[in-house]
Every structure is written in C-alpha cells, then in structure tokens.
Amino acid sequence: MAGQYAPPGDLISGLYGAFFDPVRDGSAAFFQVSPLSFFALLLAAATGYALLRRRPTGIPSRDARLLAFFALAAALVVLAYARSLPGMSASPGIVPDMRYLSPAYLPLLVIGVYALKYAGLDGDGVRESLKILFWLAIIDLPLIYVVLQVIAGNNPGGQVTFVTTLTYLFLAGTAVLYVAVIAKRASPRLLAYAVPVLMFLPLAWELVVDFRFATSCWEGYHFWIPVVQYIWYVQYAIFPL
C-alpha cells in the first residue's frame, strides 16, 4: 500500500498529490493521465450551482441516475484507499500509471464526456474532434516524440514533466472555455477544437513512459506484443540512453 512507502500526511494534500501533483519524480497524477475526467468536477460544480439557485439542472432524470451511479463508483474507489491517500503521491506505485486509483478512470471519464455533451458539444462537434485527434496522432504524435528525444533523450523524467506542464496548461484553458460555454459566453463548437489537444497530450505521455522508461527499468521490462517490442528496439537504437 502507498502508506508503506511514504511518511503520513493530511488527506487534502494527499488528494491534491494523487489527482494533480505527485511528490515522486516522474509520477503521473490522475488528471494528467485522464484530463477529460476533470470535467466531471466542472459538471458537478455547474449542477450544484443550479441547485443552490433553485434552477433546473438541465439533466434528464434517467441521465442523472446514471451519472450518480458512476460518481458513486468513483467515490468508492477513492474511499477504498482513504487511509493510503496521504502518502500515495510519494509511493512507487504511482509510477507511471497511477495504478492505485485506476478503477476510477472509467466512471470519471464517462461523467467527463457527459459534461461535454451537457455544454452543448453535439454529434457534429464530436466528429470534428475525432478528426482533429486523428491528424494530431498521425502527424504531431511522432513529431513531439522525436523532438523530446533530440532535446532531452537522456532525461525521461524531464520529458514527462514537460508533457505534464503542457497538459495542465491546456486543461486550464479548456476548463475556462468550458465555464464560458456554460455561461453562454462562448460557442460549444470551440470545445471541438480544444478537447482533441487534451486527448493528444496523454498519448504523448504514454509514448515517453512506454518507450523511454522501459529502457531504464532495472527488472528487464519486456513488451507482451511482439510488434511493440520491435518498435522499442528501433527507437532504442536511434535514441539510446
């Protein structure tokens, strides 16, 4: 458990470390791995504000029940690790995939995606987002990986920090845009252009983690899929540590 590897702290700092900023170098926080899940919090804030003002939330009752189910599932995962949360962000188990809270990824991601629908991102917007993400993955994903190896090939931790910083910058900007859309100050169509970037950056992080951290794993990391193993051999021959 996480508490076995780190000194105890308080619950608030533990939650912040696990979801936003782990103490351990090279670690990845929950919202860095799955930035779209952050919109679950924004949806909760928007509906909570509507309830406080005694206004309709705009969420159909059937959808509300499903969202409550997914929220409960995520909350139960967090509660299951409540005693370990204070030290979780400094634990080796947070590297590189935040495996402690991994069962909460799916329910929070579902709520986050619904939050985009709640803001008015329609089918046309989703198709536009997927098209942009496709071209980002085809063109920019290999490019950013090569650039990171050329600039900081011997510093995988620095690469992760760089990608993490970009992720949070774009997440902050997209969150502000989301609030503006909810407040009717911006078009939901703009989300179609911002969301693909948030989906692209964790893919860049995955490349660094999978293909660079694997190089330095002391236990002899081996990929299960042969084609991935050969790709790793090729990149290691070009960009050795």
Side-chain angles (χ1 to χ4, degrees):
M1 297 296 287
Q4 295 176 317
Y5 298 98
D10 63 88
L11 181 60
I12 300 301
S13 63
L15 285 170
Y16 174 76
F19 280 89
F20 291 97
D21 186 22
V23 174
R24 191 176 179 87
D25 291 338
S27 300
F30 193 100
F31 290 133
Q32 189 266 312
V33 178
S34 180
L36 289 186
S37 297
F38 182 76
F39 292 91
L41 300 184
L42 297 181
L43 177 63
T47 54
Y49 178 78
L51 291 173
L52 287 175
R53 299 295 298 270
R54 297 183 179 179
R55 296 175 180 175
T57 62
I59 301 177
S61 58
R62 178 178 177 273
D63 292 353
R65 289 193 295 270
L66 289 173
L67 291 173
F69 170 78
F70 285 114
L72 177 61
L76 289 176
V77 173
V78 176
L79 287 174
Y81 287 98
R83 295 182 60 183
S84 299
L85 278 170
M88 184 180 291
S89 66
S91 167
I94 203 173
V95 180
D97 58 359
M98 252 305 299
R99 62 178 59 92
Y100 290 120
L101 298 177
S102 57
Y105 280 126
L106 180 59
L108 282 181
L109 182 60
V110 169
I111 300 174
V113 171
Y114 187 90
L116 298 175
K117 176 185 176 183
Y118 178 80
L121 189 63
D122 56 14
D124 291 337
V126 170
R127 283 188 289 271
E128 184 69 19
S129 290
L130 293 177
K131 182 170 69 174
I132 294 172
L133 177 63
F134 173 81
W135 288 112
L136 285 175
I138 294 296
I139 299 174
D140 291 338
L141 193 57
L143 180 61
I144 191 173
Y145 181 71
V146 171
V147 169
L148 286 173
Q149 306 321 310
V150 172
I151 295 176
N154 293 323
N155 186 13
Q159 295 180 44
V160 170
T161 300
F162 176 74
V163 175
T164 299
T165 302
L166 282 180
T167 302
Y168 283 143
L169 285 174
F170 278 96
L171 178 57
T174 308
V176 171
L177 175 61
Y178 183 85
V179 173
V181 170
I182 293 295
K184 309 298 184 183
R185 300 294 179 87
S187 170
R189 189 72 176 184
L190 295 176
L191 290 172
Y193 302 101
V195 168
V197 180
L198 285 181
M199 299 171 70
F200 163 76
L201 289 172
L203 292 177
W205 170 81
E206 286 280 0
L207 277 181
V208 174
V209 171
D210 286 345
F211 288 100
R212 297 312 282 174
F213 273 103
T215 305
S216 57
C217 281
W218 63 89
E219 71 274 19
Y221 192 93
H222 179 76
F223 292 100
W224 290 359
I225 304 176
V227 67
V228 178
Q229 184 74 21
Y230 284 114
I231 293 173
W232 180 80
Y233 285 143
V234 171
Q235 68 85 34
Y236 180 60
I238 299 174
F239 303 111
L241 284 178

